């Protein structure tokens, strides 16, 4: 699933908390890594963000910026605090990437991939930019971008690889789009009272009509149907479109009742800037195309997905444990963990056609930027925790060891720590999400937004984070449906505060955010740890984990989602 991008959220003026609830993804007002800087006439700030979108700038508490030579920008506005103690790095010195924890892994689960994909583009009479979208669908699978983002996803043991595919075909539907559609096959059914045209039936009818007219071939296992909707249409699948999700892909049966068909849904979420709107549709479409060809799930069995099941271990922690907090925060297909300002805009040509960068298993295992393609000279920077799952009683305070790293020499960055627990419960005052974790860096700075930060880290920097578990996640029913097991989640955000990115704000001012990388971790109680085989010693009892998942099969979404039509 393609979530709404931060810059688009700012332009739309959408409630962040509403997004979290509608999408079912992680968002917590406690993980506010700052408020967006809006330099309009009223100098008002944008709403604070959830963890599914990453952090923003905070002009009131984190307004400095570290320069690439290790000094402090004179216009930082914070009295020289940020970056004051940053040592300059010697670009000519031998560089060695500092030790750090392993990035999550993507594994093959046995389902089919689209080895020779054909993109069939469906547009309405009122779909904007039809010519551009037709061209995009016709050529996307023959681009160098497509070759690079799919090269890691050959079926193991000599199985087929994903090739460039056939030139795409376009279908211009002879009608305007209806005001609303409902995906009746969604694994998250629409709420009672929501009405609209049956999306699944409509798509089937349009595909069948195009086949009957010899405009397109009959469906095959390599056909992806891409439907582009105008901004006047709302699609209800996981809540309304453009209020939490920007696109998704899934599968259903064709009108013959036996042939599976794979489709992608791309709404046009208006920002008031037509160029931005088209860019967002391009990025959403590229995201869904990459995920659909690597994990079409057309027969109910996943292909490539983040490793959360029992299997061989390639790192210091079993993959299903190592990846758990990443899956909780960002889903698990190859496009999901590569959504940020830094990663979203990969140019496909000189005419403004762009695509999203996509997860690479080989790059991740090598400690490089896992989101490819990577521009020449771009350093990957992040900070890892010493564990992925910590065990604590409510009220306990424990220490997390943090290791910053980069894969080449670069300027220092700011490291934020936040509570990212994806709860839908509110605090006692009803003013925000219930806080599960208190996080505070040893020797760090806490801003007016409540976010704890280390203002200057670089490759090899070591830090300590004090974490207190404030409440028992097992008592939160909203967490029972978002996690493998009840857990609280913290997130480290590595903020490139020396590279601000600005967008138009709805009030006519400017909305500013920063590129970032993230690293999540989980906190569970001893009772949950005993259930799933995670003793405080850190030794994982796989037999207990298998038994737990078998006992709960059909109850938890991460266990059942593989058997249901998924829309990610």
């Amino acid at each position: 699933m393609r979530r709404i991008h931060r810059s688009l959220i700012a332009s739309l003026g959408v409630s962040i908390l509403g997004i979290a609830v509608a999408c079912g993804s992680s968002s917590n007002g406690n993980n506010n890594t700052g408020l967006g800087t809006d330099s309009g006439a009223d100098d008002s700030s944008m709403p604070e963000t959830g963890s599914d979108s990453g952090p923003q700038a905070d002009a009131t508490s984190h307004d400095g910026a570290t320069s690439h030579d290790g000094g402090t920008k004179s216009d930082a506005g914070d009295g020289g605090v940020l970056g004051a103690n940053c040592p300059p790095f010697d670009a000519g010195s031998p560089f060695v990437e500092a030790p750090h924890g392993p990035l999550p892994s993507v594994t093959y689960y046995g389902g089919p991939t689209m080895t020779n994909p054909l993109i069939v583009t469906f547009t309405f009479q009122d779909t904007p930019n039809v010519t551009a979208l037709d061209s995009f669908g016709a050529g996307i699978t023959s681009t160098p971008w497509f070759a690079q983002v799919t090269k890691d996803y050959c079926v193991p043991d000599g199985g087929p690889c994903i090739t460039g595919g056939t030139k795409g075909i376009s279908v211009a539907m002879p009608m305007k789009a209806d005001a609303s559609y409902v995906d009746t096959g969604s694994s998250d059914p629409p709420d009672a009272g929501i009405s609209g045209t049956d999306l699944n039936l409509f798509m089937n009818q349009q595909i069948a009509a195009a086949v009957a007219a010899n405009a397109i071939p009959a469906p095959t296992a390599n056909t992806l149907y891409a439907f582009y909707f105008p901004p006047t249409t709302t699609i209800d699948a996981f809540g309304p479109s453009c209020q939490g999700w920007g696109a998704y892909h899934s599968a259903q049966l064709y009108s013959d009742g036996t042939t599976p068909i794979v489709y992608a849904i791309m709404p046009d979420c208006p920002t008031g800037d037509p160029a931005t709107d088209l860019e967002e549709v391009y990025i959403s479409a590229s995201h869904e195309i990459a995920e659909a060809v690597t994990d079409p799930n057309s027969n109910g069995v996943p292909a490539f997905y983040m490793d959360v099941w029992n299997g061989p271990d390639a790192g210091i922690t079993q993959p299903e444990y190592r990846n758990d907090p990443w899956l909780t925060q960002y889903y698990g297909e190859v496009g999901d963990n590569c959504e940020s300002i830094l990663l979203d805009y990969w140019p496909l040509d000189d005419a403004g056609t762009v695509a999203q960068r996509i997860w690479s298993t080989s790059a991740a295992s090598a400690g490089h930027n896992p989101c490819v393609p990577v521009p020449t000279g771009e350093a990957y920077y992040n900070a890892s925790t010493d564990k992925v799952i910590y065990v604590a009683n409510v009220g306990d305070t424990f220490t997390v060891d943090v290791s910053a790293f980069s894969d080449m020499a670069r300027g220092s960055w700011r490291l934020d720590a936040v509570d990212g627990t994806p709860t839908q419960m509110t605090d006692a005052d009803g003013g925000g999400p219930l806080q599960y974790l208190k996080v505070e860096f040893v020797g760090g700075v806490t801003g007016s937004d409540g976010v704890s930060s280390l203002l200057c880290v670089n490759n090899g920097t070591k830090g300590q984070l004090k974490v207190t578990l404030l409440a028992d996640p097992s008592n939160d029913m909203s967490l029972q449906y978002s996690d493998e097991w009840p857990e609280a989640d913290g997130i480290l955000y590595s903020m490139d505060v020396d590279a601000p990115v600005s967008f138009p704000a709805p009030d006519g001012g400017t909305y500013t955010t920063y590129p970032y990388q993230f690293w999540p971790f989980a906190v569970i109680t001893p009772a949950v740890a005993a259930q799933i085989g995670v003793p405080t010693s850190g030794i994982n009892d796989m037999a207990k984990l298998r038994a737990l998942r078998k006992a709960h099969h059909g109850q938890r979404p991460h266990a059942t989602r593989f058997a249901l039509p998924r829309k990610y």
Side-chain angles (χ1 to χ4, degrees):
M1 175 189 285
R2 168 74 182 174
R3 294 177 299 282
I4 295 295
H5 192 275
R6 173 173 309 281
S7 63
L8 188 59
I9 290 172
S11 299
L12 293 170
V14 176
S15 165
I16 303 298
L17 182 59
I19 285 173
V21 174
C23 187
S25 65
S26 59
S27 184
N28 185 340
N30 299 316
N31 59 353
N32 53 344
T33 51
L35 301 179
T37 302
D38 179 355
S39 59
D42 61 358
D43 198 28
S44 60
S45 294
M46 296 304 297
E48 61 189 42
T49 69
S51 64
D52 54 357
S53 296
Q56 293 174 273
D58 183 352
T60 62
S61 61
H62 292 137
D63 53 357
T66 306
S67 65
H68 285 309
D69 63 1
T72 303
K73 289 188 172 181
S74 60
D75 59 351
D78 63 355
V81 174
L82 181 56
N85 297 315
C86 287
F89 70 88
D90 182 356
S93 299
F95 182 85
V96 178
E97 183 171 342
H100 57 84
L103 285 155
S105 56
V106 172
T107 195
Y108 178 66
Y109 284 99
T113 60
M114 290 187 171
T115 56
N116 186 34
L118 169 66
I119 310 298
V120 181
T121 299
F122 280 82
T123 56
F124 295 88
Q125 288 184 348
D126 49 349
T127 299
N129 305 300
V130 169
T131 300
L133 296 176
D134 287 345
S135 177
F136 180 86
I140 185 66
T141 62
S142 62
T143 61
W145 170 87
F146 186 82
Q148 186 164 359
V149 302
T150 58
K151 69 180 180 63
D152 285 347
Y153 301 107
C154 296
V155 172
D157 301 323
C161 295
I162 300 169
T163 65
T166 307
K167 182 179 180 180
I169 304 172
S170 299
V171 176
M173 295 180 288
M175 78 285 289
K176 291 185 176 181
D178 291 344
S180 61
Y181 293 83
V182 177
D183 190 332
T184 55
S186 170
S187 57
D188 183 14
D191 295 334
I194 293 180
S195 61
T197 302
D198 186 320
L199 178 62
N200 306 82
L201 177 61
F202 173 80
M203 289 189 294
N204 243 318
Q205 292 172 336
Q206 297 306 310
I207 294 169
V211 171
N214 293 319
I216 60 174
T220 72
N222 284 312
T223 310
L224 173 61
Y225 301 99
F227 283 80
Y228 293 89
F229 291 81
T232 51
T233 292
T234 298
I235 301 132
D236 191 276
F238 313 90
S241 54
C242 303
Q243 296 185 34
W245 61 269
Y248 69 93
H249 73 93
S250 191
Q252 65 176 3
L253 288 180
Y254 187 44
S255 54
D256 61 10
T258 58
T259 304
I261 56 175
V262 181
Y263 62 91
I265 302 298
M266 272 72 67
D268 187 319
C269 300
T271 66
D273 179 0
T276 298
D277 294 351
L278 179 57
E279 282 185 345
E280 291 293 335
V281 173
Y282 280 147
I283 292 167
S284 294
S286 63
H287 178 116
E288 301 308 328
I289 288 169
E291 291 187 342
V293 301
T294 56
D295 187 28
N297 197 33
S298 56
N299 64 356
V301 178
F304 288 97
Y305 197 81
M306 188 175 289
D307 192 346
V308 290
W309 215 249
N310 299 319
D313 185 23
I316 60 174
T317 309
Q318 293 287 352
E320 50 271 23
Y321 290 107
R322 180 172 69 239
N323 296 340
D324 167 71
W326 295 80
L327 186 68
T328 300
Q329 296 295 323
Y330 291 91
Y331 301 111
E333 287 189 303
V334 299
D336 292 330
N337 284 306
C338 294
E339 294 186 13
S340 79
I341 292 288
L342 183 66
L343 307 173
D344 270 356
Y345 295 88
W346 182 261
L348 296 178
D349 55 33
D350 295 330
T353 310
V354 293
Q356 183 192 298
R357 291 158 67 172
I358 302 297
W359 191 270
S360 163
T361 57
S362 60
S365 64
H368 297 305
N369 195 324
C371 299
V372 300
V374 178
T376 302
E378 179 186 281
Y380 179 57
Y381 61 100
N382 212 329
S384 68
T385 56
D386 60 328
K387 298 178 184 178
V388 292
I389 298 181
Y390 299 83
V391 181
N393 288 294
V394 175
D396 285 353
T397 297
F398 58 93
T399 301
V400 172
D401 291 330
V402 176
S403 302
F405 65 96
S406 62
D407 64 353
M408 64 179 69
R410 57 148 290 142
S412 297
W413 63 92
R414 190 182 83 206
L415 185 61
D416 292 351
V418 299
D419 175 13
T421 308
T423 181
Q424 295 178 18
M425 294 184 65
T426 58
D427 58 25
D429 297 330
L434 180 65
Q435 185 176 4
Y436 276 90
L437 298 177
K438 178 183 178 181
V439 291
E440 182 181 9
F441 278 112
V442 176
V445 175
T446 300
S448 62
D449 53 7
V451 175
S452 182
S453 301
L454 291 179
L455 298 179
C456 176
V457 300
N458 209 312
N459 182 59
T461 299
K462 299 291 186 181
Q464 286 191 321
L465 183 69
K466 291 194 301 182
V467 180
T468 303
L469 181 63
L470 302 176
D472 189 347
S474 300
N475 298 328
D476 188 339
M477 287 304 297
S478 70
L479 298 179
Q480 309 300 315
Y481 301 98
S482 61
D483 300 324
E484 284 276 325
W485 40 74
E487 67 182 42
D489 294 286
I491 307 177
L492 301 179
Y493 280 112
S494 288
M495 300 285 294
D496 192 355
V497 293
D498 197 27
V501 181
S502 298
F503 302 91
D507 63 0
T510 301
Y511 168 86
T512 300
T513 186
Y514 298 135
Y516 65 92
Q517 304 288 350
F518 63 91
W519 197 285
F521 61 91
V523 183
I524 59 177
T525 63
V528 172
Q531 281 186 303
I532 65 175
V534 182
T536 54
S537 62
I539 300 173
N540 301 325
D541 185 338
M542 300 308 299
K544 288 184 179 180
L545 181 61
R546 292 188 185 97
L548 177 73
R549 285 177 170 151
K550 182 177 180 181
H552 287 276
H553 184 72
Q555 297 181 31
R556 295 194 185 277
H558 288 180
T560 60
R561 64 171 43 159
F562 293 150
L564 296 171
R566 283 188 297 124
K567 295 173 167 47
Y568 300 114

